[in-house]
Amino acid sequence: METNRQKKIGGVIQKDLVDILQGEIRMNGISNLVISVSKVVVTSDLSVATVHLSIFPQEKAAETLAAIKTNTSLIKHDLSQRVKMQLRKVPNLTFFIDDSLDYIEKIDNALKGEENPIENRDLLEKRRKY
Protein backbone atom coordinates (compact mmCIF):
# COMPACT_ATOMS: atom_id res chain seq x y z
CA MET A 1 0.00 0.00 0.00
CA GLU A 2 1.44 3.33 -1.07
CA THR A 3 1.52 6.15 1.44
CA ASN A 4 0.50 9.69 0.54
CA ARG A 5 4.14 10.75 0.55
CA GLN A 6 5.07 8.04 -1.96
CA LYS A 7 2.17 9.08 -4.19
CA LYS A 8 3.14 12.76 -4.06
CA ILE A 9 6.79 12.05 -4.86
CA GLY A 10 5.71 9.71 -7.67
CA GLY A 11 3.51 12.46 -9.11
CA VAL A 12 6.33 15.02 -8.99
CA ILE A 13 8.72 12.60 -10.70
CA GLN A 14 6.11 11.63 -13.29
CA LYS A 15 5.38 15.23 -14.26
CA ASP A 16 9.05 16.16 -14.62
CA LEU A 17 9.99 12.96 -16.47
CA VAL A 18 7.32 13.67 -19.08
CA ASP A 19 8.85 17.10 -19.68
CA ILE A 20 12.38 15.67 -19.87
CA LEU A 21 11.55 12.80 -22.26
CA GLN A 22 9.31 14.79 -24.57
CA GLY A 23 11.81 17.66 -24.58
CA GLU A 24 14.55 15.29 -25.73
CA ILE A 25 12.33 14.00 -28.52
CA ARG A 26 11.69 17.55 -29.72
CA MET A 27 15.35 18.59 -29.43
CA ASN A 28 16.55 15.60 -31.46
CA GLY A 29 13.92 16.17 -34.14
CA ILE A 30 12.40 12.71 -33.81
CA SER A 31 8.97 12.56 -35.39
CA ASN A 32 6.24 9.93 -35.16
CA LEU A 33 7.18 8.90 -31.61
CA VAL A 34 5.11 9.47 -28.49
CA ILE A 35 6.38 8.61 -25.00
CA SER A 36 4.16 9.01 -21.99
CA VAL A 37 4.85 8.17 -18.38
CA SER A 38 1.79 6.21 -17.32
CA LYS A 39 2.78 5.46 -13.74
CA VAL A 40 5.60 6.01 -11.25
CA VAL A 41 5.81 3.78 -8.17
CA VAL A 42 8.24 4.80 -5.43
CA THR A 43 9.46 2.29 -2.83
CA SER A 44 8.72 2.88 0.84
CA ASP A 45 12.30 4.01 1.58
CA LEU A 46 12.13 6.42 -1.42
CA SER A 47 15.32 4.98 -2.93
CA VAL A 48 13.94 3.44 -6.14
CA ALA A 49 11.30 4.73 -8.53
CA THR A 50 9.79 2.32 -11.03
CA VAL A 51 8.72 4.22 -14.15
CA HIS A 52 6.16 2.67 -16.51
CA LEU A 53 6.35 4.07 -20.04
CA SER A 54 3.81 3.89 -22.85
CA ILE A 55 5.54 4.19 -26.20
CA PHE A 56 3.70 4.63 -29.48
CA PRO A 57 4.18 3.17 -32.09
CA GLN A 58 4.68 -0.17 -30.41
CA GLU A 59 7.28 -1.28 -32.98
CA LYS A 60 9.76 1.29 -31.65
CA ALA A 61 9.13 0.44 -27.99
CA ALA A 62 12.05 -1.96 -27.40
CA GLU A 63 14.54 0.28 -29.23
CA THR A 64 13.37 3.39 -27.38
CA LEU A 65 13.41 1.67 -23.99
CA ALA A 66 16.98 0.50 -24.61
CA ALA A 67 18.02 4.08 -25.45
CA ILE A 68 16.33 5.40 -22.32
CA LYS A 69 18.00 2.76 -20.15
CA THR A 70 21.44 3.67 -21.50
CA ASN A 71 20.81 7.33 -20.67
CA THR A 72 19.33 6.74 -17.22
CA SER A 73 22.10 8.62 -15.45
CA LEU A 74 21.60 11.71 -17.63
CA ILE A 75 17.85 11.56 -17.12
CA LYS A 76 18.36 11.29 -13.35
CA HIS A 77 20.69 14.30 -13.43
CA ASP A 78 18.13 16.39 -15.36
CA LEU A 79 15.45 15.26 -12.94
CA SER A 80 17.56 16.21 -9.93
CA GLN A 81 18.07 19.71 -11.36
CA ARG A 82 14.30 20.12 -11.69
CA VAL A 83 13.28 18.75 -8.26
CA LYS A 84 16.20 19.95 -6.15
CA MET A 85 13.94 22.25 -4.13
CA GLN A 86 11.35 19.51 -3.51
CA LEU A 87 13.42 16.37 -2.84
CA ARG A 88 16.63 15.88 -0.90
CA LYS A 89 17.64 12.79 -2.82
CA VAL A 90 16.38 11.67 -6.21
CA PRO A 91 15.53 7.95 -6.28
CA ASN A 92 17.22 5.57 -8.70
CA LEU A 93 15.11 5.15 -11.81
CA THR A 94 14.13 1.83 -13.39
CA PHE A 95 12.17 1.92 -16.63
CA PHE A 96 9.63 -0.60 -17.90
CA ILE A 97 7.21 -0.78 -20.82
CA ASP A 98 3.60 -0.41 -19.73
CA ASP A 99 1.60 -3.06 -21.58
CA SER A 100 -1.79 -2.04 -20.24
CA LEU A 101 -2.81 -0.60 -23.64
CA ASP A 102 -2.25 -4.01 -25.26
CA TYR A 103 -4.32 -5.62 -22.51
CA ILE A 104 -7.14 -3.13 -23.08
CA GLU A 105 -7.01 -3.78 -26.83
CA LYS A 106 -7.37 -7.54 -26.25
CA ILE A 107 -10.41 -6.93 -24.06
CA ASP A 108 -11.94 -4.62 -26.70
CA ASN A 109 -11.43 -7.24 -29.40
CA ALA A 110 -13.04 -9.89 -27.22
CA LEU A 111 -16.02 -7.63 -26.52
CA LYS A 112 -16.45 -6.69 -30.19
CA GLY A 113 -16.85 -10.34 -31.03
CA GLU A 114 -13.66 -10.84 -33.00
CA GLU A 115 -12.69 -13.54 -30.52
CA ASN A 116 -16.12 -14.74 -29.55
CA PRO A 117 -15.91 -18.22 -27.98
CA ILE A 118 -19.60 -18.88 -28.62
CA GLU A 119 -19.16 -18.57 -32.38
CA ASN A 120 -15.68 -20.09 -32.52
CA ARG A 121 -15.49 -23.15 -30.26
CA ASP A 122 -11.74 -23.58 -30.81
CA LEU A 123 -11.09 -20.56 -28.59
CA LEU A 124 -12.54 -22.37 -25.58
CA GLU A 125 -9.57 -24.73 -25.43
CA LYS A 126 -7.12 -21.81 -25.36
CA ARG A 127 -9.01 -20.09 -22.55
CA ARG A 128 -9.45 -23.15 -20.34
CA LYS A 129 -7.57 -22.94 -17.06
CA TYR A 130 -6.07 -26.12 -15.77
Side-chain angles (χ1 to χ4, degrees), residues 84-116:
K84 63 184 173 186
M85 296 297 181
Q86 297 164 335
L87 298 175
R88 286 186 197 164
K89 184 181 175 199
V90 176
N92 293 327
L93 303 173
T94 56
F95 294 96
F96 293 99
I97 297 283
D98 184 18
D99 59 350
S100 62
L101 293 177
D102 295 334
Y103 182 70
I104 291 170
E105 185 177 352
K106 286 180 184 178
I107 291 173
D108 282 343
N109 289 339
L111 291 174
K112 286 179 186 175
E114 296 172 11
E115 294 181 9
N116 191 347

Side-chain angles (χ1 to χ4, degrees), residues 12-25 27-28 67-68 70-87 89-93 95:
V12 167
I13 291 172
Q14 180 178 5
K15 183 181 138 224
D16 288 328
L17 277 177
V18 167
D19 293 340
I20 291 168
L21 293 174
Q22 290 180 351
E24 285 298 318
I25 289 173
M27 279 184 10
N28 292 328
I68 289 172
T70 57
N71 293 317
T72 300
S73 60
L74 296 173
I75 294 170
K76 183 178 176 182
H77 177 71
D78 288 347
L79 182 64
S80 67
Q81 295 300 314
R82 289 175 178 251
V83 298
K84 63 184 173 186
M85 296 297 181
Q86 297 164 335
L87 298 175
K89 184 181 175 199
V90 176
N92 293 327
L93 303 173
F95 294 96

Side-chain angles (χ1 to χ4, degrees), residues 110-126:
L111 291 174
K112 286 179 186 175
E114 296 172 11
E115 294 181 9
N116 191 347
I118 295 172
E119 295 174 2
N120 187 357
R121 293 288 184 181
D122 296 333
L123 293 174
L124 287 175
E125 290 299 320
K126 287 196 264 182

